[in-house]
Amino acid sequence: MVCRASIAACLVALFATVAATPAHTAEPVAEPTPAVANGAHEAVAWIRVTRPAGSEEGHDEQYDSARQNLIERLNSPVILVSVLREPDIVNLKTIRNEEADPMAWLVAALDVTAQEKTDLIRVGLRGERADELQQIVDAVAQTFITDVVESEKIALLARRDQLEKKLEELQTELRAKQQAR
């Protein structure tokens, strides 16, 4: 099992990179939407996952495991349902055409992969409307980043509160011992 600290370390630069990019991309940096077979298009967003300090290029099981966990999280219902609830996304023709089950369509159509020998996760989607596909892919990437950053923030704040409580206990104990002298 990968420890929380390694996932947090992997995501630190991810957040910094995203914060420095324009809102319509998700550095997650979107590449141009090229035409693919039969008039369909493919939209792609890239998410950079930086290696924690001390991690070496090449085979690193802890990093690989953390990256795989992030990929699974990207495909999770929590992220995808959140994307499908966004007003700008739910009203797209691409989503409305999947009236029976937009969630099932998105799960099946979304292609999330780790790029070999890179620190990149690729989020791709194919379909007919290039601009709408890009909106969906960008929303998936941005929702994922927000979710990961928020959950890490909550965990860090809980740890801070725990440490502050312990510090207060130790200071109280120290004062009591000093007064006993």
Side-chain angles (χ1 to χ4, degrees), residues 5 13 19 24 31 38 41 44 48 51 56 70 74 77 79 83-84 86 97 107 122 127 133 136 150 172 176 179:
H24 68 280
E31 66 180 24
N38 300 325
H41 298 274
V44 175
R48 180 182 314 248
R51 293 179 180 275
E56 296 177 16
L70 294 175
L74 252 162
I79 299 297
V83 168
L84 290 173
E86 291 182 24
N97 287 345
V107 167
R122 180 185 181 278
L133 295 173
I136 296 167
E150 283 300 312
T172 302
Q179 289 176 354

Side-chain angles (χ1 to χ4, degrees), residues 83-134:
V83 168
L84 290 173
R85 287 185 177 157
E86 291 182 24
D88 292 345
I89 301 299
V90 76
N91 293 320
L92 296 174
K93 289 180 185 177
T94 301
I95 300 296
R96 288 197 320 254
N97 287 345
E98 303 300 330
E99 290 175 16
D101 194 351
M103 180 66 171
W105 168 79
L106 188 55
V107 167
L110 199 62
D111 178 32
V112 180
T113 56
Q115 300 301 292
E116 291 291 323
K117 299 180 181 180
T118 72
D119 293 340
L120 298 174
I121 295 176
R122 180 185 181 278
V123 181
L125 186 62
R126 290 183 180 200
E128 295 178 10
R129 296 177 181 86
D131 56 335
E132 290 186 4
L133 295 173
Q134 195 63 56

Side-chain angles (χ1 to χ4, degrees), residues 15 23 43 78 96 104 152 166 171:
F15 181 69
V78 170
R96 288 197 320 254
E152 292 299 322
K166 185 66 174 174
Q171 286 174 334

